[in-house]
Structures are given as C-alpha cells and as structure tokens.
Amino acid sequence: MVLRVSAGRMVGRDDELGRLLTLLDDAEAGRSVAALVSGDAGVGKSRLVAEASQLAEGRGFTVLSGQCAELGDSVPYLPLADALRGAAQSTGVRDALSSRPALRQLLPEGGEAPAIDSDRSGLARQQMFGGVLGLLAELAAAAPVLLVLEDLHWADGSTRDLVTFLSRMLHRERVALIGTYRTDDLHRRHPLRPVVAELKRLPSVISVDLAPLGPSALAEHLMAVAAPGRIEATELNDIVTRAEGNAYYAEELLAALLMGDPVETNVLPAGLATLLLSRVEQLSDATQQVLRAAAVAGRKADDELVRATSGLQAAEYDGAVREAVTHQLLVPAGPEGYVFRHALLREAVYADLLPGERTRLHATMSSLLSEEQRLAVPGTAAELAQHCLASHDIPGSFAASVRAGQEAERLGAPAEAHRHYDQALALWERVAEPEKTAGLARGKLGLLSATNAADSGDIEHAVHLLRRLRQVLAMQASQTGRDAPDANLVSRIGERLAFYLMLMDDHKAFIEAAEVAQATVEATPAEPPTWQYARAIATYANTLVGQDDYTLARELAQRGLGAARAAGAPWVQADALVTLGFLSNREGRNDEAIELLTEAHKQAREAKVLGVELRAAYHLARAHLERGDLVTGGTIAYEGTKRANQTGLGLAPYGLDVQHLHFQCHFADGKWDHAQEIADGFPVRVTSAAEAYLSSMALFIDVARDNPAVAERRAWIEPFWMSHGFDGFIARGLLAEHALWQGDTEQALAEAQAAIDLANEPPWGYNPSTIRPAAIALSARADRAVQARAAGDDDTASAELAAAADLLQIAREGAAFVKRPKFILGPEGRGWLARAEAEYRRASGDNDPQAWQAVLDEFGPVYGYEIARTQWRLAEALAEAGRRDEAAQQWRQAAQTADRLSARPLRSALDHLARRARIGTVPDEGRDGAVFASLTSREREVLRLIAAGRSNREIASVLFIAPKTASVHVSNILGKLGAASRTEAAAIAHREGLTSQPSGR
C-alpha cells in the first residue's frame, strides 16, 4: 500500500502558515524579514515551508531553496550552493551570478578562483557575504525573493554566520528568509544555539515554533493520507494516541498498518527506528541495498554514485530505485539524485549497517569521489575526507582534508578551512610521506590553519598556533644545528604572529608584537629580495607606529618600500606607502601624506589588493577631511564605499571606515538629506561592536535633527560601551549634545565627562578628539553660570567658572597633543577649540561677540552646521551688547541654515533667542486664550518666565532688558490679569497653557 503523502491540504498549521504569509507580505512591501521555524524531527517543518514556498511562487516570488546535510559542518555554504544550483537555470539568477565570481565557485561548473596567498587572505569570506547580499538585492529589484535554508542544525559555521549577516544587513530589499532547525538536536553546546538567540533579538526576525499537532488535526491529516475506507476509527485513534502529535511518526505507523505489518500496541515514539526499518524490510533485497548505499552517501544522494556503490546492474538498480520511490522512502531531487523522504529514515538505515558493511560502503564511495572530475565540484573534497576517515583510509582522508581546506579558503569559508587543515595536521604522523602527499611542509600547513583561524575571527587561537609553530621550528633548528630549511616560511610565521598580536588590543601583546617583528626581520635573509622579507619589515614598521616610535617606523617603512620594489611585490609596496603617508599625516605634513596615499591607493588598485586599497582610501579621505577639503575627501570616501560594497567588504576593516567617512563628509558639507540616507542604512538594533560603531556615527545627524532614533540607538549601543574593541567615545560625546539640546545640563556633563575620560591616554594626556566633548561640557557649565549669575548666586557662578576653567585646560591640552608634537590641528579642530574659548568667556560673564567671530573664522565657510550653531551664539552675544541689527543678521543666516538642514533643536534655540532678544521672526504659535488678549508679545514672554519661577533680575538677564524694565512689565501683567501676586499670575499662566519655552542648546 502506497501512502498519498502529498495529497490534500495542510492541516493544523493555519496560524503558523499565516505568520509565514505575513512574512511574504512584508517582503513584497519592501521590508526585509526572516523567520526561524523550529520543532522536533518529524513535526512538519519541511511540509510547512514547502507550502509557504509554493504559495510564494504563485505570488511571483523568486524562490531559492537549499538544505543542509549531516556532512554540512565540513562543506562550506552547502545550503546556499544547493539553492543556487537549483535556481541557476533561471535567467535572472544566472545573470546575477555571472557578475559575482565568488558565488559562481559554488556551482558545479565553478568559476574563476583566486590563487591562495596567505598575505592577502581574510577577504574572501567578506566577498562571499557581500556577493550573496548583492545577489539577493539584484533579484529583489525584479521580483520579491524567498530564500529557504533547511536543517540549519547541520549548517557549517560560515552558513550560520551568513544567516546572521543577512538578517542584520537586509533592510529595505524585498527579501524574506526562512530557516528551519530541529529543537531536539539543539543541545546546550550546539553551535546554532547562540546564533538563534542572537537572531531572535532582531526585530526583523520572527520565531515560528511548531508544537505537536493536536489530535483532531492529526486525525484529519491521516484520513487525507490514507485511501478512503482503509482505516477504522479504533485504529485511527490508536495511531493518534501513540504518535503524540508527530506527523511523520503517525504516517509511518499508518504505513505499517496499511502494509499489513503487525505493529505492536506498546511501540512508543522512542522505537521509531525499529518502525522505520520494518518498512524497509518489506522491500526487495536490491531496494534495501540501494537504500543502504544512499544512506552512506547522505540525505541527498547522487544517482550515479548510489548505483555504483550499490553494486547492482543498471536494470536491477532502476527497478530498486523505482520501488523505493513508489513506497515513499526516496524522493527525486533534481535531475541527478534523490533524497530520503525524511532525515530520520536515513539515520535509521545508516545506524542499522554492520561495521564492516559501513566501512566497505564508505570505501567504495571514497573511490568514486576521488575521481578528478568529481573533485572539481565544490564540497566534494570535504565529503571525500569524511568517507575516507569512515573507511579507515588515513592517507586518503589526509590528502582530501588538505584539498578541502584549500577549497574552503577559496570559497571564503575560513572556519571550515581551519577545521580541515587542523584535521590534516592531526593525521600528519599517521601518513607515510605526508609532505609529498599534501604538497606542502608541515609548517606551511600550520600557517594556513592559523591564518584561517584568524580570518574566522579566532585571533587568540591563531596566535596560540603560531607561537607553537615558531617554538617547534626554533627547537628543530637548534637540535640540528642548522637554520630552518625554509627561511621564507619562518618569516611568514613570525610576521603573521606579530600582525595578529597587534590586533589583540592589549599592551603586552603590542610589546610582544614589536619583539617578534624585530626578531623576524633580523632572521629573514635580505638577499635575494623576497616579498616575505619586505612584508616582515612593513609589519615591523606598523608595530612601531602602534608604539608611537615614528622615527624608526618611518625608516623601516622606507626600507620595506625598497625591498618590495626589489622583490617585485606591488601589494607590499602599496602597504608601505600607506604607512609612510599615515606617518606624514601624523607628523603634520599633510600635503606629503596626501601625495604618498594617492600613490598607494593607485598601486593597490592596480595590484588588485582590496585590503590595502581600502586602507589607503580611508587614510587618504581622512587626510583631505582634516584639512577641510570635504569635496575631495567625500569623493574618495564614496568611491571607497562603493568599492567595498561591490566586493562584499562593507563590514571588513577599512570598508567600515570609509562608510563612516563618506557620511561624515556629507554631514559636514551640509548635504544632510544624503547624509540621513546613509545614516539610515547604519543598523539601529546592533549585535556587534562594528555595527555599534556605525550606529554611533548615525547619532551625529539623529541628534542634530532630534530624530526619534536617538533613544533607540542609545539603548542598543550602551551594552557595548564596556566591550572589547568599542569604547563608546563618539556615542557619549553626541549624547552629551543631545542632553544639552534638551536643557539637561546634568546629563550633558555626565556624558561629556565619560567621553573625555575615554580620550585620556596616560602618560601623554589628552588628544585632539577631546576638544569637542570638552567644548560641549563648557557650554553646559556656561549655561549654569549664566543662570546662577542672573539669580544672584555668585558662589554657584564661581564654582561653575572654576569647572569651566578645568575643561578649557583639557581642550587646550588636547589641541597641543603632547604625544605628537608635530601634529597640526585642522580647521574643524581649530573651530571647536575656539568655541571652547568662547564658551569660557560666556561662563565668565563676558560673552564677547569677537570670541564667537573667531569661531566662525576658524571653521571657515565649509562646515555649514557648525557655522549656524556659532551664528546663533554670536547673535546672542551681539544682542547682549546692544548691536541688534547685527544680531538679527546673524540670526537670519543661522535660521536659514537650520531650516535647510531640518536641524530642529537649533531652530528651536533660535526661536527662543528671537523671543528673548526680540530679533528675527518666530513662527506663529497660535493664540494663548482670550484671557491673554490684552497682553503684548513681550508681556507674554515675561509671564512665561514668571510661571517658570524667575525673579525680576533673572527675567532681565534672559530678555536682555534692565531689571527696572522687567519690574514694570510684571506690574502691568498683574494689573491686566487682575492678579494679586506673581504666584496668582503664574497659576493663571499654567491654567491657560502658557508655559515657559525650553532653552534648547
């Protein structure tokens, strides 16, 4: 009896299907979303996702669907490759793949693979991720996309990271992502467990947990599956009771019953393997042999491989396969293979194999997979390594592991490459001629393992491996009394160790990095010229930059440049030029720096070394930005950002940095709508230090425009303030500005002080970045001093002035930059320093217009927002000095800029100044009620201040009038309102809704 498994509609999953259909609605509307579908094995995850996929296709979606397999942990990007292979015949998908060589490598026909070079490694993974992101975006431009990745509990590390990456980076693309996984397989240390926890934090990710089907739904499902009249009510009830809501288990019980197999009533779900095998045992011997071969091959089995492994003749094999498909044990999957209807079935058949039988089948599979034609297909080498190991073929597993590592490295899967290389290292001693078999020395294999560990993010493990390698090679050299046989290999190991130590952000590690780099240079032969020697020198120079030894660093960088030229290594040459340009910039020779960095950028581009190219682009754009050339700096940053995104390196080192520089240029030059568009692309609900850094950058415009995102960004950034690799300096400084705009001077001072503390670098003290938060804190102190002085509280005013003097000293120390005496402050730094000086004058009671004019002069004409903020303060100072016409002129210019930029807090502060000083024009706020009809506009301002509890002296200070004039206004107000006292007048103002205006800063 054959079950009609696919017959009828899906039952019992209306709510879950509805949630997935809502997901599709969101994707169609341009909101990228993801769903994690979880449940026990056999509960119906695949059936639910298949239904959603079918409905998506009917709605015009491009559906890409791939599955993980038990070998998936060793085969990088297996479900993605499966999805692309299945859809590659589509014209749209094929065209999108044609422009992305990294993704084409996943297809059977492969693509152009870059040569493995450990000096340039680490970027293939980002390129792969970026390629997938670009592919989905391109496809989504034509039609909404549904990407389905099943059985993620078997996913490799790179696939897990890819799912996380896509879930975070997809925002407005018409893309829906559905992933499935078994909850019963997720033990406490399962690698998917933390990934699921992280993804569930994202607002774009929903969780669909499949509980067992209810009795009624399961009964309805079974009645639809069975032929009419073939099952009695008592039998149906018995199956429903015993299946405990598991649809697959219920179907197997039903199949056994309808096939006449006596199924004892005491069989429980724990005995599912026995039940599954009872169905297999009903089939012919040939069919059972096919199923055993298919079980060894994996859940998805290649037809030709299974036939050859089964040992059957073609006709007998075809008949056996037909029988397995007819009985719903195998299901055709594509033109060349089959899958088990359920993974549990494959597991049961595989577990039933006898030890010798399993070994022989794996050996046969190994023999077939070792053919060069098959090994050309991505993922085959990893499968071969597993089959060889299972068949006790140690040399074969060793060779295949090396090849699988190389393949994973080309595909941008460093975690899998590291695992394969480590496997080969573990087998090294058990192979007769390992170096000949692998085609490389043990030290080289160890270096590859370490560099890929680092590229996958495990810097500490890479450092451990390289330290051990270096010690072993040194020990071998001392025992033999001869130098190491491969001096270049020893040099590469030392150079990489020094490089990774620099990345650990630890003082002791920095010291060790310099020591290792120096020893490596001294031990590496200078002749004949080699790129390894040049790279060792360049890295040594970089370690000294980190220790601020610029003189020796420059000397070494120049040596490295000469060595790179002699060795014909343009990528190392470009890297040395970047270091020299960086040093020139730090020493105040910016024109020289720009010249060197321009040449470095050109050489890196020509040499096609993306990492160095982006590093050069970042430092070059920054050099232009520091001298106020926003147009050139913005252009270079934009080109760098575009290049990074095109190559999938948007979140790689320096790819991230050129993005924020691109934003900074447009924020500074006043193109705020474009800057806002860029900032909106920076994630809000961040899950990594890199994302928190970008989100902090977005606060520049979100604070300046008082966007609602400020509070949400803070909530997500705050947990990273104390994390490794993220200090929160930018966020704290900008949040200080936000608090100041809100009139909360206490919070502003706390945030600014936190930023200042982070910029303090003992024993050197403060650096130029300290100037801005110090100036913001000075503004808060000045506000408090002015208020205290107006209230006649001279003690508080003196205390605030003393605190302001300390802040001014910090700003001056930051500008002096003792650590780098040759450093020259750029126009933005000079503008902020002048603002700190002017704020101190304001705190002292001498709000000199000339001090604010000096701020304008230092900023120059480029920094539009800072110019407008300064004009606001200049207008205030001019009004206090009685120069009302000049004040009005500055006010109008600032108001025009604030309106053009939609800088709402600044515009609010300008409106408040206009009311106080009676300059400029203020938007009509509407009538305050008939009770105030007799009051003049000035009297309404005075009444607002009375309601705020201000004294006559304070009112006079705020409104730039004499105390006697303020007293006259108060008397007139009391008379017009018929109020007996100031208290009664204040009560009337509150009752009628006339409240004091915020004093935004």
Side-chain angles (χ1 to χ4, degrees):
M1 173 63 62
V2 178
L3 296 180
R4 297 176 296 126
V5 174
S6 60
R9 68 179 183 87
M10 188 173 63
V11 298
R13 299 297 186 198
D14 291 346
D15 291 344
E16 293 88 347
L17 181 60
R19 297 186 69 191
L20 294 185
L21 294 182
T22 301
L23 197 80
L24 299 182
D25 293 339
D26 288 339
E28 280 186 309
R31 295 185 294 274
S32 300
V33 283
L36 295 175
V37 179
S38 61
D40 289 348
V43 81
K45 300 182 295 297
S46 296
R47 177 72 178 88
L48 174 66
V49 171
E51 184 79 8
S53 298
Q54 185 177 356
L55 293 172
E57 284 185 334
R59 292 166 59 168
F61 274 69
T62 298
V63 178
L64 308 175
S65 181
Q67 286 185 317
C68 302
E70 294 90 331
L71 288 175
D73 194 48
S74 299
V75 182
Y77 306 115
L78 180 61
L80 175 63
D82 190 26
L84 294 179
R85 290 168 191 169
Q89 300 307 312
S90 164
T91 302
V93 176
R94 187 170 61 251
D95 291 345
L97 285 170
S98 65
S99 60
R100 294 175 174 85
L103 294 184
R104 290 205 307 274
Q105 294 180 70
L106 296 174
L107 301 178
E109 60 271 20
E112 182 183 350
I116 297 176
D117 184 341
S118 61
D119 190 59
R120 311 189 213 181
S121 63
L123 302 182
R125 175 188 177 93
Q126 289 94 333
Q127 288 181 276
M128 179 64 75
F129 284 16
V132 176
L133 185 64
L135 172 78
L136 294 176
E138 182 176 334
L139 294 177
V145 177
L146 172 61
L147 174 61
V148 177
L149 302 175
E150 290 202 65
D151 297 328
L152 288 175
H153 51 278
W154 286 324
D156 58 285
S158 293
T159 295
R160 292 192 297 268
D161 291 343
L162 176 63
V163 171
T164 304
F165 172 81
L166 293 176
S167 300
R168 291 201 305 256
M169 297 308 297
L170 289 168
H171 298 293
R172 300 179 183 86
E173 296 82 359
R174 294 190 297 168
V175 177
L177 170 63
I178 299 178
T180 71
Y181 66 93
R182 287 187 192 172
T183 51
D184 47 340
D185 271 14
L186 246 60
H187 52 79
R188 288 179 59 188
R189 296 185 179 181
H190 195 288
L192 184 65
R193 197 179 186 95
V195 175
V196 169
E198 179 180 337
L199 291 176
K200 286 183 177 180
R201 291 181 58 201
L202 301 177
S204 60
V205 178
I206 65 170
S207 180
V208 181
D209 301 318
L210 294 192
L213 284 172
S216 298
L218 188 55
E220 183 180 353
H221 172 64
L222 292 173
M223 290 298 292
V225 168
R230 295 291 301 171
I231 183 171
E232 300 292 337
T234 55
E235 294 171 328
L236 178 63
N237 182 65
D238 179 58
I239 292 175
V240 169
T241 301
R242 292 158 59 194
E244 298 182 353
N246 189 296
Y248 181 66
Y249 182 57
E251 291 170 6
E252 293 302 320
L253 286 171
L254 177 61
L257 176 69
L258 296 181
M259 291 173 66
D261 185 44
V263 181
E264 297 182 8
T265 58
N266 63 353
V267 175
L268 298 174
L272 179 57
T274 302
L275 179 63
L276 294 174
L277 289 174
S278 70
R279 288 193 60 199
V280 173
E281 290 164 0
Q282 302 295 318
L283 306 178
S284 66
D285 291 342
T287 302
Q288 291 185 47
Q289 183 62 21
V290 167
L291 292 174
R292 294 186 190 105
V296 169
R299 185 178 178 190
K300 188 169 185 178
D302 178 89
D303 180 69
E304 186 179 342
L305 277 177
V306 173
R307 186 195 63 76
T309 304
S310 70
L312 299 175
Q313 296 298 317
E316 187 178 14
Y317 169 77
D318 289 341
V321 170
R322 183 172 298 278
E323 184 179 12
V325 171
T326 301
H327 285 81
Q328 292 282 331
L329 297 175
L330 291 180
V331 180
E336 298 177 351
Y338 304 89
V339 296
F340 280 88
R341 182 174 158 250
H342 199 282
L344 289 173
L345 178 59
R346 194 210 72 85
E347 292 171 18
V349 175
Y350 185 82
D352 190 54
L353 292 172
L354 296 172
E357 184 180 27
R358 183 183 296 119
T359 299
R360 286 189 293 274
L361 287 171
H362 276 295
T364 303
M365 194 68 69
S366 299
S367 176
L368 295 168
L369 288 174
S370 61
E371 298 172 2
E372 279 301 320
Q373 184 178 355
R374 292 189 179 279
L375 282 173
V377 177
T380 302
E383 292 186 47
L384 176 58
Q386 296 296 320
H387 286 298
C388 287
L389 202 59
S391 64
H392 312 303
D393 178 6
I394 301 304
S397 181
F398 172 78
S401 293
V402 173
R403 183 162 184 161
Q406 294 168 339
E407 181 180 277
E409 201 169 357
R410 285 195 299 270
L411 291 175
E416 288 67 42
H418 166 60
R419 183 161 50 251
H420 289 307
Y421 288 140
D422 253 15
Q423 176 67 44
L425 285 169
L427 298 175
W428 187 277
E429 299 288 352
R430 301 171 63 184
V431 179
E433 295 181 304
E435 190 166 329
K436 181 179 179 181
T437 303
L440 70 169
R442 189 173 190 172
K444 175 65 173 177
L445 185 60
L447 175 63
L448 289 172
S449 180
T451 54
N452 279 280
D455 292 342
S456 67
D458 196 350
I459 300 293
E460 291 185 3
H461 187 53
V463 166
H464 171 75
L465 288 173
L466 291 170
R467 278 176 178 154
R468 178 62 181 155
L469 255 180
R470 197 160 171 261
Q471 290 169 358
V472 169
L473 291 175
M475 187 182 301
Q476 289 176 351
S478 65
Q479 289 174 350
T480 60
R482 298 193 303 269
D483 291 337
D486 188 344
N488 287 334
L489 173 61
V490 175
S491 177
R492 291 298 295 134
I493 291 171
E495 184 275 327
R496 287 292 88 185
L497 175 57
F499 180 81
Y500 296 142
L501 283 166
M502 284 193 294
L503 299 180
M504 293 184 69
D505 195 23
D506 177 81
H507 182 64
K508 291 182 178 179
F510 263 103
I511 294 175
E512 183 185 354
E515 292 172 350
V516 171
Q518 181 180 4
T520 300
V521 170
E522 292 172 352
T524 306
E527 296 294 337
T530 61
W531 71 263
Q532 290 89 346
Y533 177 67
R535 194 71 189 89
I537 297 176
T539 297
Y540 185 22
N542 283 331
T543 65
L544 295 173
V545 168
Q547 294 186 351
D548 299 307
D549 189 347
Y550 289 173
T551 301
L552 183 54
R554 175 174 291 279
E555 178 187 331
L556 285 165
Q558 288 171 338
R559 278 178 56 195
L561 181 62
R565 284 172 176 160
W571 66 95
V572 183
Q573 187 177 336
D575 197 31
L577 282 170
V578 175
T579 300
L580 288 169
F582 175 79
L583 289 169
S584 295
N585 173 262
R586 289 297 181 93
E587 292 174 343
R589 300 191 301 276
N590 215 13
D591 290 341
E592 179 182 292
I594 288 173
E595 183 179 345
L596 288 166
L597 291 168
T598 301
E599 179 61 25
H601 187 251
K602 176 185 175 183
Q603 288 193 17
R605 188 85 185 243
E606 291 173 351
K608 299 181 179 179
V609 188
L610 293 170
V612 179
E613 179 187 336
L614 292 176
R615 180 178 173 229
Y618 168 71
H619 287 299
L620 181 57
R622 184 173 179 176
H624 282 290
L625 186 59
E626 285 176 354
R627 73 174 185 180
D629 187 353
L630 301 183
V631 175
T632 305
T635 301
I636 294 168
Y638 167 70
E639 291 296 331
T641 298
K642 185 168 69 171
R643 179 76 166 147
N645 290 332
Q646 285 174 344
T647 55
L649 301 179
L651 291 179
Y654 297 108
L656 185 81
D657 297 311
V658 291
Q659 284 193 75
H660 87 69
L661 271 188
H662 180 215
F663 163 76
Q664 286 288 342
C665 287
H666 289 305
F667 177 79
D669 68 13
K671 296 177 181 177
W672 274 24
D673 288 341
H674 187 35
Q676 186 71 65
E677 184 180 341
I678 298 170
D680 288 345
F682 296 163
V684 175
R685 294 169 173 83
V686 299
T687 57
S688 68
E691 290 178 343
Y693 180 65
L694 282 181
S695 187
S696 298
M697 286 294 169
L699 284 173
F700 275 99
I701 196 165
D702 285 338
V703 166
R705 283 183 161 177
D706 196 24
N707 291 332
V710 172
E712 190 175 9
R713 286 192 185 279
R714 180 199 176 106
W716 285 81
I717 292 171
E718 191 169 351
F720 289 92
W721 282 348
M722 302 304 293
S723 68
H724 178 77
F726 182 81
D727 60 16
F729 171 80
I730 294 169
R732 302 304 288 267
L734 292 169
L735 290 170
E737 294 188 33
H738 181 64
L740 195 58
W741 283 124
Q742 305 303 313
D744 188 347
T745 57
E746 193 69 34
Q747 183 65 26
L749 288 170
E751 298 286 8
Q753 189 60 53
I756 290 169
D757 290 343
L758 287 167
N760 188 12
E761 188 180 353
W764 302 106
Y766 299 101
N767 60 54
S769 63
T770 317
I771 302 173
R772 181 173 180 139
I776 296 301
L778 269 161
S779 183
R781 292 292 181 190
D783 285 352
R784 290 156 72 116
V786 169
Q787 185 175 345
R789 198 171 287 111
D793 187 350
D794 293 337
D795 290 342
T796 298
S798 296
E800 293 295 340
L801 182 59
D806 292 339
L807 288 166
L808 180 59
Q809 183 59 32
I810 289 172
R812 288 170 174 171
E813 285 183 19
F817 206 4
V818 176
K819 185 177 180 180
R820 296 175 191 149
K822 296 181 180 179
F823 178 82
I824 297 177
L825 205 60
E828 186 177 16
R830 295 196 301 270
W832 276 100
L833 180 61
R835 179 175 179 179
E837 300 280 357
E839 289 289 8
Y840 179 76
R841 298 283 293 274
R842 188 166 71 92
S844 69
D846 179 20
N847 196 16
D848 184 5
Q850 190 58 40
W852 291 106
Q853 183 60 52
V855 180
L856 283 181
D857 293 342
E858 292 294 356
F859 271 119
V862 178
Y863 295 88
Y865 178 57
E866 299 308 336
I867 290 170
R869 286 212 279 189
T870 305
Q871 288 171 328
W872 159 52
R873 284 300 188 194
L874 176 56
E876 180 185 57
L878 289 167
E880 289 180 9
R883 298 158 61 180
R884 307 183 69 82
D885 291 342
E886 294 174 77
Q889 181 182 3
Q890 294 296 329
W891 186 96
R892 282 193 295 272
Q893 292 176 10
Q896 288 172 358
T897 302
D899 290 340
R900 177 173 58 83
L901 299 178
S902 297
R904 287 177 284 274
L906 175 58
R907 179 67 211 215
S908 177
L910 286 163
D911 290 345
H912 185 47
L913 174 62
R915 294 188 185 96
R916 291 164 50 216
R918 307 190 78 174
I919 58 175
T921 56
V922 182
D924 184 12
E925 296 183 300
R927 297 177 60 193
D928 290 315
V931 71
F932 301 131
S934 62
L935 300 183
T936 66
S937 60
R938 173 59 88 186
E939 287 170 344
R940 293 188 190 194
E941 285 298 321
V942 172
L943 180 56
R944 285 190 176 97
L945 294 171
I946 292 172
R950 299 292 184 95
S951 67
N952 287 353
R953 184 174 179 179
E954 289 175 303
I955 292 171
S957 175
V958 169
L959 298 180
F960 309 110
I961 57 178
K964 184 175 181 180
T965 304
S967 177
V968 171
H969 281 310
V970 172
S971 298
N972 289 339
I973 291 167
L974 296 180
K976 290 180 179 181
L977 295 180
S981 65
R982 296 168 69 99
T983 302
E984 186 176 345
I988 293 171
H990 283 292
R991 185 189 68 205
E992 297 297 325
L994 184 68
T995 56
S996 61
Q997 294 293 316
S999 59
R1001 292 290 182 267

